[in-house]
Amino acid sequence: MSAPVSPPLIATLLVACPDRKGIVASLAQVLYGHGANILDADQHTDPVAQLFFQRIRFDLSALTTDRVLLEAALREVGERFAMNWRLAYASQVRKIAVLASKLEHCLYDLLVRHRAGELACEIAMVVSNHAEPGPIAAHFGVPFHHLPVTADTRAAQEAQLAALVDGAGVELIVLARYMQILSADLVARYPARIINIHHSFLPAFVGANPYRQAYVRGVKLIGATSHYVTAELDQGPIIDQATIDCSHRDSVDDLVRKGRELEKRVLASAVRWHLEDRILVYAGKTVVFD
Amino acid sequence: MSAPVSPPLIATLLVACPDRKGIVASLAQVLYGHGANILDADQHTDPVAQLFFQRIRFDLSALTTDRVLLEAALREVGERFAMNWRLAYASQVRKIAVLASKLEHCLYDLLVRHRAGELACEIAMVVSNHAEPGPIAAHFGVPFHHLPVTADTRAAQEAQLAALVDGAGVELIVLARYMQILSADLVARYPARIINIHHSFLPAFVGANPYRQAYVRGVKLIGATSHYVTAELDQGPIIDQATIDCSHRDSVDDLVRKGRELEKRVLASAVRWHLEDRILVYAGKTVVFD
Amino acid sequence: MSAPVSPPLIATLLVACPDRKGIVASLAQVLYGHGANILDADQHTDPVAQLFFQRIRFDLSALTTDRVLLEAALREVGERFAMNWRLAYASQVRKIAVLASKLEHCLYDLLVRHRAGELACEIAMVVSNHAEPGPIAAHFGVPFHHLPVTADTRAAQEAQLAALVDGAGVELIVLARYMQILSADLVARYPARIINIHHSFLPAFVGANPYRQAYVRGVKLIGATSHYVTAELDQGPIIDQATIDCSHRDSVDDLVRKGRELEKRVLASAVRWHLEDRILVYAGKTVVFD
Amino acid sequence: MSAPVSPPLIATLLVACPDRKGIVASLAQVLYGHGANILDADQHTDPVAQLFFQRIRFDLSALTTDRVLLEAALREVGERFAMNWRLAYASQVRKIAVLASKLEHCLYDLLVRHRAGELACEIAMVVSNHAEPGPIAAHFGVPFHHLPVTADTRAAQEAQLAALVDGAGVELIVLARYMQILSADLVARYPARIINIHHSFLPAFVGANPYRQAYVRGVKLIGATSHYVTAELDQGPIIDQATIDCSHRDSVDDLVRKGRELEKRVLASAVRWHLEDRILVYAGKTVVFD
């Protein structure tokens, strides 16, 4: 059922830097020189921002040197080209925390997908301000933390949350229809490390009750948007979006039902892509290598 | 190629009224009593607004009375239930005017579809403030009117336009990427009789340059929206919407190209549905019977 | 969470009969005459087969007579027009059985949707030839029956299954990626009462391993199909279908992952529509009233 | 309107070869060594077939050597890695021939898109066995050749066609709903150089009247497929596919109308991708670099 998602001897390199001649050749040369075999490589140049982005997935099993030397060589190239780079080994299991509310469809969805081997990570914990997700986490064998919150206790609750997350070595926080707005402080602590699902096709219908807003406006499609959380509400870099047709027949409840479908899908894809090191953030947008 | 789209002995009844028991039975009884055979019937009740809407398409070929008596009977039912109703005979060819600019993809699209028999109407004229659409109209055998316009001559130009439209008995004005904003006066003259295409998934990206706005925001899908024109810009009742995926690879030009696809499709469907009497407008929204 | 899906005083009438004048008027008259208020009505005429189909949803709360008299009147109309008709009261909870294998995504999906109030039924049991679905059923509070099967014991196992299904008053059997082929006898026992999901866009890739077939052929989209089960494998009346883009980058495993998405969606819609009395079967096809 | 689609100093390299370490580094080194700047690079490895594919788009404007030396260096690398490679300069305008019938929607679509600058080519001719496309070609300023055909004259007509195509230096033949089946000889003459549109989601509904086949089977979506033509009917490598929902309401004529939409779209994308050197064919399938 849950076969190992990524074989252990694979690494992924993500690079962003000012565009210049020779970047591709230099990186390819370093990898080739150390015996790494490139499995996939994808690149993008933003001609307006004059930036270069690349994702390289390579096989380490026939490395002729070792990881220390390879990383040193990458560091040298990185300095030469003023690169922002990150290297991830598939053998190093990533940890995520899922924050949930009483709306359980996204929570179930992530847990079932994880169990089917779709998400290359350990779900280190489910956290909620409600008790209800507890039995769900238990069914999937995931630790659960109940952290109730009121307007007055927000700071303390967020401190508890941060302690749990940091204590467990969690890399990514997933807001699975978590209905609390995180403080600017908490958001700043985890840049491009918190993924949220907003139940509209942003930038339409920012804020509360987007399905009701959609109903009132009489749109003929509704959407959902997964994005990294930033200080400004619903303004973070968009990772994935999807829409579905609707009509005059759809009540607000129908829109909610149809929307759940989209929410699950675009949240799961965002989490999967993050875990597969496919996403780079710049200028309030994302590059998502497929 | 262009077979007659609608057989001549068919009529379509569109009804809107306060919801009440007995409406369906009364209308069905009138039609049955006069020998009309119902081909399609679709209805909708808005439980919030407590309104009833119905579209009935029926065959007149075996009418046991005549149209005058049938219409009188419908008028009686209409008064009894405070109905807003409209009866259209397929034998009566509708006329439309297409307003175009130098962006010719929607203009071509409508003309080619008309030629293929998709639009049950006569395209009575193509009108533009540019000369370029002239040869296109000519190729399809449609009269062309070149009505240049400047900020100073808008009122006069719109008067000419209205004269042309009214003189020809045009029922529907289609703005096929016509780049001029119509005056409130002109819009008021043709309520629910002007269809526009806006090149975004409204209500996102209202106003100018929506593809550029989409590019800057970094959305992962773009859209197009056809709607009836009202006094407030891009706020009219939405008829159809569609979206298509995009990515970081798409330049503004790519978005424009992808968007043309959607614009053509949702404008054509809106025009087709209008001509087939499928659309009812209320509360700033549309009911579109499929 | 799981609010009552259907208010109790609503009924749905499904009708199929030879097309003739007066059907709509007669049915509407019967309902009106007994004080029923039509909430939705949808009809379809197949001009080739000369058949008429209708679905009417109506409110019984202000009935001026009673159900017995209403049903007698419907029976009279039904005989007059040679109707095949069926009346379902929302107050009468339907029971379904879900047959599962080790592939658990569709099973989870149905159970989670049911819990969210999307499926108007009681899930009376989960049945499997494997033990694995047991804990899943238990988590959702649904009885589980483990019925192992071999080639030699098929007849006996199916007899047990039928006894369970009939004993519990199950109306609909859902094959949620159940990997056993049912015998012709069992299928014949439940006409238009067994829904299956096939993991391709039928009629392409009938039979085993459709994702591998798709990979080998190099298609650019994959699909899933929900259908009623008939004696001939993968040939039953299609209820819903969906597709998703794929590319040369997708391995068979990627296709399997993408396909799960579709399988869940089209199986759930088929079950929901069946339970809402939206489906009529004729000529090996379905009418699905939306 | 029809701005130059591709700036002149850009080239695209397409490569296919057995997978081996060092390919990426070698090619990148050659380009860098000659002063070429990589704009886009995309690669794919088929782990089953153990083949490597790459598309590199690069800027020649700052070449430090010249094209002759660059090509010689590529040839050397190509030999070393047993590459099948092809280099195309954007400055070299490609020529295509469009073969049409009386069904004109795809023909119009390609001509309008070309005029909008979507297709980086010269449409050297429109050819048909019917006279009707003549005025359409004329409107767009494209030479038209009327080549009538009967069962008896097929060989002669195809010889005329080949003479026209070869005489004009046409690289790609586009069958825009051309209703004639080409002989095996003609097909063999233009391997991976003839693109056809089939009006179903292959491999479903091979052969004649796919929309009628779809109607009879009662599918809930219809599709269209663009593919390279090979000797076996409708079996060539698939380039693009799309589907659209349909329902019991759709007559065969409705399916035909809906299908036109898809046919136009997937034929145009196939032609565009071919002209942008995005397609590689192997094992009866395509790699399409986006």
Side-chain angles (χ1 to χ4, degrees), chain C residues 42-44 201 215 217-220 236 238 241 243 248-249 285-286 288, chain D residues 42-44 201 215 217-220 236 238 241 243 248-249 285-286 288:
Chain C
D42 201 355
Q43 67 175 71
H44 174 63
F201 50 98
Y215 178 82
R217 179 62 183 90
V219 292
K220 299 301 185 185
I238 293 172
Q241 298 189 288
T243 55
H248 60 275
R249 296 189 188 286
K285 309 200 275 188
T286 61
V288 179
Chain D
D42 202 353
Q43 67 173 72
H44 174 62
F201 49 98
Y215 177 82
R217 179 62 183 90
V219 291
K220 298 301 185 185
I238 292 172
Q241 297 189 289
T243 55
H248 61 273
R249 296 189 189 286
K285 310 201 275 189
T286 61
V288 179

mmCIF file of all heavy atoms in Angstrom, chain C residues 42-44 201 215 217-220 236 238 241 243 248-249 285-286 288, chain D residues 42-44 201 215 217-220 236 238 241 243 248-249 285-286 288:
data_model
loop_
_atom_site.group_PDB
_atom_site.id
_atom_site.type_symbol
_atom_site.label_atom_id
_atom_site.label_comp_id
_atom_site.label_asym_id
_atom_site.label_seq_id
_atom_site.Cartn_x
_atom_site.Cartn_y
_atom_site.Cartn_z
ATOM 1 N N ASP C 42 -37.973 18.273 -14.355
ATOM 2 C CA ASP C 42 -37.072 18.222 -15.496
ATOM 3 C C ASP C 42 -37.600 17.119 -16.393
ATOM 4 O O ASP C 42 -38.102 16.108 -15.915
ATOM 5 C CB ASP C 42 -35.652 17.901 -15.018
ATOM 6 C CG ASP C 42 -34.595 18.333 -16.026
ATOM 7 O OD1 ASP C 42 -34.963 18.784 -17.123
ATOM 8 O OD2 ASP C 42 -33.411 18.205 -15.702
ATOM 9 N N GLN C 43 -37.540 17.334 -17.699
ATOM 10 C CA GLN C 43 -38.046 16.302 -18.589
ATOM 11 C C GLN C 43 -37.144 16.165 -19.790
ATOM 12 O O GLN C 43 -36.319 17.024 -20.072
ATOM 13 C CB GLN C 43 -39.460 16.648 -19.020
ATOM 14 C CG GLN C 43 -39.540 17.867 -19.905
ATOM 15 C CD GLN C 43 -40.951 18.072 -20.395
ATOM 16 O OE1 GLN C 43 -41.831 18.437 -19.625
ATOM 17 N NE2 GLN C 43 -41.172 17.848 -21.669
ATOM 18 N N HIS C 44 -37.297 15.072 -20.462
ATOM 19 C CA HIS C 44 -36.490 14.821 -21.648
ATOM 20 C C HIS C 44 -37.305 13.975 -22.613
ATOM 21 O O HIS C 44 -37.991 13.040 -22.211
ATOM 22 C CB HIS C 44 -35.201 14.091 -21.274
ATOM 23 C CG HIS C 44 -34.399 13.673 -22.468
ATOM 24 N ND1 HIS C 44 -33.865 14.585 -23.351
ATOM 25 C CD2 HIS C 44 -34.037 12.456 -22.926
ATOM 26 C CE1 HIS C 44 -33.220 13.944 -24.312
ATOM 27 N NE2 HIS C 44 -33.312 12.652 -24.072
ATOM 28 N N PHE C 201 -11.774 5.887 -19.587
ATOM 29 C CA PHE C 201 -12.919 6.530 -20.228
ATOM 30 C C PHE C 201 -13.490 5.551 -21.237
ATOM 31 O O PHE C 201 -13.113 5.526 -22.385
ATOM 32 C CB PHE C 201 -12.556 7.878 -20.869
ATOM 33 C CG PHE C 201 -11.352 7.862 -21.756
ATOM 34 C CD1 PHE C 201 -11.478 7.752 -23.139
ATOM 35 C CD2 PHE C 201 -10.083 7.968 -21.239
ATOM 36 C CE1 PHE C 201 -10.368 7.748 -23.959
ATOM 37 C CE2 PHE C 201 -8.958 7.961 -22.052
ATOM 38 C CZ PHE C 201 -9.098 7.845 -23.420
ATOM 39 N N TYR C 215 -0.888 4.009 -20.918
ATOM 40 C CA TYR C 215 0.530 4.371 -20.979
ATOM 41 C C TYR C 215 1.142 3.887 -22.288
ATOM 42 O O TYR C 215 1.853 4.630 -22.972
ATOM 43 C CB TYR C 215 1.249 3.742 -19.780
ATOM 44 C CG TYR C 215 2.734 3.998 -19.764
ATOM 45 C CD1 TYR C 215 3.239 5.196 -19.276
ATOM 46 C CD2 TYR C 215 3.624 3.041 -20.244
ATOM 47 C CE1 TYR C 215 4.600 5.438 -19.263
ATOM 48 C CE2 TYR C 215 4.990 3.278 -20.236
ATOM 49 C CZ TYR C 215 5.477 4.480 -19.751
ATOM 50 O OH TYR C 215 6.817 4.713 -19.747
ATOM 51 N N ARG C 217 -0.336 3.162 -25.104
ATOM 52 C CA ARG C 217 -0.880 3.845 -26.290
ATOM 53 C C ARG C 217 -0.392 5.293 -26.384
ATOM 54 O O ARG C 217 -0.426 5.903 -27.440
ATOM 55 C CB ARG C 217 -2.417 3.811 -26.237
ATOM 56 C CG ARG C 217 -3.121 4.500 -27.402
ATOM 57 C CD ARG C 217 -2.778 3.831 -28.730
ATOM 58 N NE ARG C 217 -3.381 4.506 -29.882
ATOM 59 C CZ ARG C 217 -2.779 5.486 -30.547
ATOM 60 N NH1 ARG C 217 -1.575 5.903 -30.196
ATOM 61 N NH2 ARG C 217 -3.363 6.047 -31.591
ATOM 62 N N GLY C 218 0.024 5.867 -25.252
ATOM 63 C CA GLY C 218 0.509 7.245 -25.279
ATOM 64 C C GLY C 218 -0.595 8.278 -25.363
ATOM 65 O O GLY C 218 -0.435 9.312 -26.008
ATOM 66 N N VAL C 219 -1.717 8.015 -24.712
ATOM 67 C CA VAL C 219 -2.804 9.000 -24.726
ATOM 68 C C VAL C 219 -2.404 10.239 -23.939
ATOM 69 O O VAL C 219 -1.505 10.196 -23.100
ATOM 70 C CB VAL C 219 -4.114 8.422 -24.134
ATOM 71 C CG1 VAL C 219 -4.665 7.340 -25.047
ATOM 72 C CG2 VAL C 219 -3.899 7.891 -22.729
ATOM 73 N N LYS C 220 -3.101 11.339 -24.193
ATOM 74 C CA LYS C 220 -2.795 12.601 -23.534
ATOM 75 C C LYS C 220 -3.850 12.953 -22.493
ATOM 76 O O LYS C 220 -3.870 14.077 -21.972
ATOM 77 C CB LYS C 220 -2.645 13.715 -24.567
ATOM 78 C CG LYS C 220 -1.504 13.476 -25.567
ATOM 79 C CD LYS C 220 -0.141 13.331 -24.890
ATOM 80 C CE LYS C 220 0.991 13.227 -25.917
ATOM 81 N NZ LYS C 220 2.297 12.969 -25.277
ATOM 82 N N GLY C 236 -22.062 -1.762 -19.335
ATOM 83 C CA GLY C 236 -23.304 -1.267 -18.764
ATOM 84 C C GLY C 236 -23.527 0.211 -19.044
ATOM 85 O O GLY C 236 -22.616 0.914 -19.474
ATOM 86 N N ILE C 238 -23.593 3.963 -18.939
ATOM 87 C CA ILE C 238 -22.648 4.904 -18.334
ATOM 88 C C ILE C 238 -23.407 5.978 -17.564
ATOM 89 O O ILE C 238 -24.376 6.551 -18.062
ATOM 90 C CB ILE C 238 -21.769 5.537 -19.424
ATOM 91 C CG1 ILE C 238 -20.856 4.471 -20.033
ATOM 92 C CG2 ILE C 238 -20.954 6.693 -18.870
ATOM 93 C CD1 ILE C 238 -20.076 4.944 -21.246
ATOM 94 N N GLN C 241 -18.619 10.299 -16.356
ATOM 95 C CA GLN C 241 -17.253 10.126 -16.838
ATOM 96 C C GLN C 241 -16.469 11.404 -16.618
ATOM 97 O O GLN C 241 -17.033 12.501 -16.639
ATOM 98 C CB GLN C 241 -17.234 9.814 -18.348
ATOM 99 C CG GLN C 241 -17.933 8.527 -18.718
ATOM 100 C CD GLN C 241 -17.709 8.145 -20.164
ATOM 101 O OE1 GLN C 241 -18.240 8.776 -21.046
ATOM 102 N NE2 GLN C 241 -16.927 7.097 -20.397
ATOM 103 N N THR C 243 -12.226 13.083 -17.269
ATOM 104 C CA THR C 243 -10.869 12.869 -17.766
ATOM 105 C C THR C 243 -9.936 13.905 -17.150
ATOM 106 O O THR C 243 -10.376 14.933 -16.645
ATOM 107 C CB THR C 243 -10.798 13.008 -19.305
ATOM 108 O OG1 THR C 243 -11.326 14.277 -19.681
ATOM 109 C CG2 THR C 243 -11.557 11.911 -20.003
ATOM 110 N N HIS C 248 3.838 12.719 -21.414
ATOM 111 C CA HIS C 248 4.929 11.741 -21.476
ATOM 112 C C HIS C 248 5.639 11.614 -20.127
ATOM 113 O O HIS C 248 6.338 10.646 -19.879
ATOM 114 C CB HIS C 248 5.932 12.163 -22.551
ATOM 115 C CG HIS C 248 6.549 13.505 -22.286
ATOM 116 N ND1 HIS C 248 5.952 14.689 -22.661
ATOM 117 C CD2 HIS C 248 7.682 13.865 -21.643
ATOM 118 C CE1 HIS C 248 6.715 15.698 -22.294
ATOM 119 N NE2 HIS C 248 7.770 15.234 -21.664
ATOM 120 N N ARG C 249 5.511 12.615 -19.263
ATOM 121 C CA ARG C 249 6.186 12.562 -17.965
ATOM 122 C C ARG C 249 5.535 11.561 -17.019
ATOM 123 O O ARG C 249 6.143 11.157 -16.029
ATOM 124 C CB ARG C 249 6.122 13.925 -17.274
ATOM 125 C CG ARG C 249 6.860 15.001 -17.998
ATOM 126 C CD ARG C 249 6.961 16.270 -17.164
ATOM 127 N NE ARG C 249 7.508 17.319 -18.002
ATOM 128 C CZ ARG C 249 8.778 17.393 -18.356
ATOM 129 N NH1 ARG C 249 9.639 16.504 -17.917
ATOM 130 N NH2 ARG C 249 9.202 18.351 -19.160
ATOM 131 N N LYS C 285 -28.351 3.051 -22.099
ATOM 132 C CA LYS C 285 -27.825 4.369 -21.763
ATOM 133 C C LYS C 285 -28.556 4.898 -20.526
ATOM 134 O O LYS C 285 -29.501 4.291 -20.042
ATOM 135 C CB LYS C 285 -28.079 5.351 -22.910
ATOM 136 C CG LYS C 285 -27.641 4.867 -24.269
ATOM 137 C CD LYS C 285 -27.454 6.013 -25.233
ATOM 138 C CE LYS C 285 -28.739 6.427 -25.917
ATOM 139 N NZ LYS C 285 -28.487 7.411 -26.994
ATOM 140 N N THR C 286 -28.123 6.067 -20.053
ATOM 141 C CA THR C 286 -28.826 6.678 -18.932
ATOM 142 C C THR C 286 -29.285 8.079 -19.282
ATOM 143 O O THR C 286 -28.648 8.798 -20.039
ATOM 144 C CB THR C 286 -27.919 6.812 -17.684
ATOM 145 O OG1 THR C 286 -26.806 7.642 -18.013
ATOM 146 C CG2 THR C 286 -27.430 5.467 -17.189
ATOM 147 N N VAL C 288 -29.677 11.303 -17.020
ATOM 148 C CA VAL C 288 -29.327 11.779 -15.682
ATOM 149 C C VAL C 288 -29.853 13.205 -15.533
ATOM 150 O O VAL C 288 -29.303 14.137 -16.123
ATOM 151 C CB VAL C 288 -27.807 11.750 -15.443
ATOM 152 C CG1 VAL C 288 -27.486 12.277 -14.051
ATOM 153 C CG2 VAL C 288 -27.252 10.349 -15.613
ATOM 154 N N ASP D 42 14.320 21.708 -21.618
ATOM 155 C CA ASP D 42 13.413 20.753 -21.006
ATOM 156 C C ASP D 42 13.930 19.382 -21.413
ATOM 157 O O ASP D 42 14.398 19.191 -22.528
ATOM 158 C CB ASP D 42 11.993 20.984 -21.522
ATOM 159 C CG ASP D 42 10.949 20.414 -20.569
ATOM 160 O OD1 ASP D 42 11.327 19.746 -19.596
ATOM 161 O OD2 ASP D 42 9.756 20.644 -20.821
ATOM 162 N N GLN D 43 13.863 18.435 -20.501
ATOM 163 C CA GLN D 43 14.347 17.115 -20.855
ATOM 164 C C GLN D 43 13.430 16.052 -20.284
ATOM 165 O O GLN D 43 12.593 16.331 -19.418
ATOM 166 C CB GLN D 43 15.759 16.935 -20.343
ATOM 167 C CG GLN D 43 15.847 16.893 -18.843
ATOM 168 C CD GLN D 43 17.254 16.552 -18.393
ATOM 169 O OE1 GLN D 43 18.156 17.369 -18.507
ATOM 170 N NE2 GLN D 43 17.443 15.343 -17.892
ATOM 171 N N HIS D 44 13.566 14.873 -20.812
ATOM 172 C CA HIS D 44 12.748 13.770 -20.340
ATOM 173 C C HIS D 44 13.547 12.494 -20.496
ATOM 174 O O HIS D 44 14.230 12.290 -21.489
ATOM 175 C CB HIS D 44 11.449 13.678 -21.143
ATOM 176 C CG HIS D 44 10.631 12.481 -20.795
ATOM 177 N ND1 HIS D 44 10.121 12.272 -19.543
ATOM 178 C CD2 HIS D 44 10.254 11.406 -21.532
ATOM 179 C CE1 HIS D 44 9.464 11.121 -19.516
ATOM 180 N NE2 HIS D 44 9.519 10.589 -20.708
ATOM 181 N N PHE D 201 -12.038 10.729 -28.750
ATOM 182 C CA PHE D 201 -10.888 10.556 -27.863
ATOM 183 C C PHE D 201 -10.339 9.156 -28.104
ATOM 184 O O PHE D 201 -10.724 8.184 -27.476
ATOM 185 C CB PHE D 201 -11.250 10.780 -26.391
ATOM 186 C CG PHE D 201 -12.459 10.055 -25.893
ATOM 187 C CD1 PHE D 201 -12.346 8.850 -25.206
ATOM 188 C CD2 PHE D 201 -13.725 10.565 -26.101
ATOM 189 C CE1 PHE D 201 -13.466 8.192 -24.737
ATOM 190 C CE2 PHE D 201 -14.856 9.909 -25.639
ATOM 191 C CZ PHE D 201 -14.730 8.711 -24.967
ATOM 192 N N TYR D 215 -22.953 8.660 -29.475
ATOM 193 C CA TYR D 215 -24.372 8.830 -29.145
ATOM 194 C C TYR D 215 -24.996 7.480 -28.797
ATOM 195 O O TYR D 215 -25.707 7.348 -27.791
ATOM 196 C CB TYR D 215 -25.088 9.482 -30.320
ATOM 197 C CG TYR D 215 -26.574 9.648 -30.120
ATOM 198 C CD1 TYR D 215 -27.063 10.735 -29.396
ATOM 199 C CD2 TYR D 215 -27.475 8.725 -30.628
ATOM 200 C CE1 TYR D 215 -28.422 10.900 -29.198
ATOM 201 C CE2 TYR D 215 -28.836 8.880 -30.429
ATOM 202 C CZ TYR D 215 -29.305 9.965 -29.713
ATOM 203 O OH TYR D 215 -30.646 10.123 -29.512
ATOM 204 N N ARG D 217 -23.541 4.738 -27.794
ATOM 205 C CA ARG D 217 -22.996 4.146 -26.572
ATOM 206 C C ARG D 217 -23.458 4.896 -25.318
ATOM 207 O O ARG D 217 -23.416 4.369 -24.220
ATOM 208 C CB ARG D 217 -21.466 4.145 -26.647
ATOM 209 C CG ARG D 217 -20.750 3.564 -25.420
ATOM 210 C CD ARG D 217 -21.110 2.114 -25.208
ATOM 211 N NE ARG D 217 -20.509 1.539 -24.006
ATOM 212 C CZ ARG D 217 -21.098 1.559 -22.800
ATOM 213 N NH1 ARG D 217 -22.290 2.099 -22.661
ATOM 214 N NH2 ARG D 217 -20.503 1.023 -21.769
ATOM 215 N N GLY D 218 -23.881 6.148 -25.501
ATOM 216 C CA GLY D 218 -24.348 6.910 -24.345
ATOM 217 C C GLY D 218 -23.230 7.405 -23.449
ATOM 218 O O GLY D 218 -23.382 7.463 -22.226
ATOM 219 N N VAL D 219 -22.108 7.795 -24.037
ATOM 220 C CA VAL D 219 -21.007 8.327 -23.222
ATOM 221 C C VAL D 219 -21.393 9.685 -22.655
ATOM 222 O O VAL D 219 -22.295 10.357 -23.150
ATOM 223 C CB VAL D 219 -19.700 8.475 -24.048
ATOM 224 C CG1 VAL D 219 -19.156 7.113 -24.413
ATOM 225 C CG2 VAL D 219 -19.931 9.326 -25.286
ATOM 226 N N LYS D 220 -20.681 10.079 -21.595
ATOM 227 C CA LYS D 220 -20.973 11.345 -20.927
ATOM 228 C C LYS D 220 -19.912 12.388 -21.215
ATOM 229 O O LYS D 220 -19.897 13.460 -20.593
ATOM 230 C CB LYS D 220 -21.117 11.117 -19.419
ATOM 231 C CG LYS D 220 -22.264 10.176 -19.044
ATOM 232 C CD LYS D 220 -23.623 10.669 -19.532
ATOM 233 C CE LYS D 220 -24.759 9.762 -19.038
ATOM 234 N NZ LYS D 220 -26.064 10.160 -19.600
ATOM 235 N N GLY D 236 -1.842 6.495 -35.247
ATOM 236 C CA GLY D 236 -0.582 7.230 -35.174
ATOM 237 C C GLY D 236 -0.345 7.833 -33.798
ATOM 238 O O GLY D 236 -1.254 7.890 -32.957
ATOM 239 N N ILE D 238 -0.231 10.041 -30.750
ATOM 240 C CA ILE D 238 -1.164 11.080 -30.317
ATOM 241 C C ILE D 238 -0.396 12.323 -29.866
ATOM 242 O O ILE D 238 0.571 12.220 -29.107
ATOM 243 C CB ILE D 238 -2.048 10.551 -29.169
ATOM 244 C CG1 ILE D 238 -2.984 9.448 -29.702
ATOM 245 C CG2 ILE D 238 -2.845 11.665 -28.530
ATOM 246 C CD1 ILE D 238 -3.767 8.723 -28.615
ATOM 247 N N GLN D 241 -5.140 15.807 -26.957
ATOM 248 C CA GLN D 241 -6.516 15.323 -26.817
ATOM 249 C C GLN D 241 -7.279 16.246 -25.884
ATOM 250 O O GLN D 241 -6.700 16.834 -24.973
ATOM 251 C CB GLN D 241 -6.532 13.906 -26.224
ATOM 252 C CG GLN D 241 -5.862 12.869 -27.088
ATOM 253 C CD GLN D 241 -6.095 11.451 -26.578
ATOM 254 O OE1 GLN D 241 -5.556 11.078 -25.554
ATOM 255 N NE2 GLN D 241 -6.885 10.684 -27.303
ATOM 256 N N THR D 243 -11.503 16.691 -24.113
ATOM 257 C CA THR D 243 -12.865 16.177 -24.005
ATOM 258 C C THR D 243 -13.787 17.280 -23.498
ATOM 259 O O THR D 243 -13.340 18.267 -22.930
ATOM 260 C CB THR D 243 -12.959 14.992 -23.019
ATOM 261 O OG1 THR D 243 -12.426 15.392 -21.753
ATOM 262 C CG2 THR D 243 -12.205 13.786 -23.531
ATOM 263 N N HIS D 248 -27.586 13.223 -21.978
ATOM 264 C CA HIS D 248 -28.689 12.640 -22.746
ATOM 265 C C HIS D 248 -29.398 13.686 -23.610
ATOM 266 O O HIS D 248 -30.102 13.336 -24.558
ATOM 267 C CB HIS D 248 -29.689 11.992 -21.790
ATOM 268 C CG HIS D 248 -30.293 12.971 -20.830
ATOM 269 N ND1 HIS D 248 -29.715 13.307 -19.627
ATOM 270 C CD2 HIS D 248 -31.411 13.730 -20.896
ATOM 271 C CE1 HIS D 248 -30.453 14.198 -18.994
ATOM 272 N NE2 HIS D 248 -31.489 14.473 -19.741
ATOM 273 N N ARG D 249 -29.262 14.956 -23.263
ATOM 274 C CA ARG D 249 -29.923 16.002 -24.048
ATOM 275 C C ARG D 249 -29.284 16.208 -25.409
ATOM 276 O O ARG D 249 -29.886 16.805 -26.300
ATOM 277 C CB ARG D 249 -29.849 17.342 -23.308
ATOM 278 C CG ARG D 249 -30.588 17.357 -22.012
ATOM 279 C CD ARG D 249 -30.677 18.758 -21.433
ATOM 280 N NE ARG D 249 -31.202 18.674 -20.095
ATOM 281 C CZ ARG D 249 -32.481 18.429 -19.811
ATOM 282 N NH1 ARG D 249 -33.354 18.281 -20.789
ATOM 283 N NH2 ARG D 249 -32.877 18.325 -18.568
ATOM 284 N N LYS D 285 4.476 6.875 -29.752
ATOM 285 C CA LYS D 285 3.978 7.898 -28.847
ATOM 286 C C LYS D 285 4.718 9.210 -29.107
ATOM 287 O O LYS D 285 5.661 9.260 -29.887
ATOM 288 C CB LYS D 285 4.234 7.500 -27.394
ATOM 289 C CG LYS D 285 3.793 6.106 -27.014
ATOM 290 C CD LYS D 285 3.608 5.963 -25.517
ATOM 291 C CE LYS D 285 4.883 5.636 -24.794
ATOM 292 N NZ LYS D 285 4.633 5.292 -23.378
ATOM 293 N N THR D 286 4.293 10.261 -28.412
ATOM 294 C CA THR D 286 5.007 11.527 -28.547
ATOM 295 C C THR D 286 5.497 12.026 -27.193
ATOM 296 O O THR D 286 4.857 11.809 -26.168
ATOM 297 C CB THR D 286 4.109 12.636 -29.136
ATOM 298 O OG1 THR D 286 3.002 12.851 -28.250
ATOM 299 C CG2 THR D 286 3.605 12.296 -30.516
ATOM 300 N N VAL D 288 5.927 15.702 -25.813
ATOM 301 C CA VAL D 288 5.595 17.083 -26.172
ATOM 302 C C VAL D 288 6.133 18.001 -25.079
ATOM 303 O O VAL D 288 5.597 18.048 -23.972
ATOM 304 C CB VAL D 288 4.072 17.275 -26.320
ATOM 305 C CG1 VAL D 288 3.761 18.726 -26.663
ATOM 306 C CG2 VAL D 288 3.504 16.345 -27.366
#
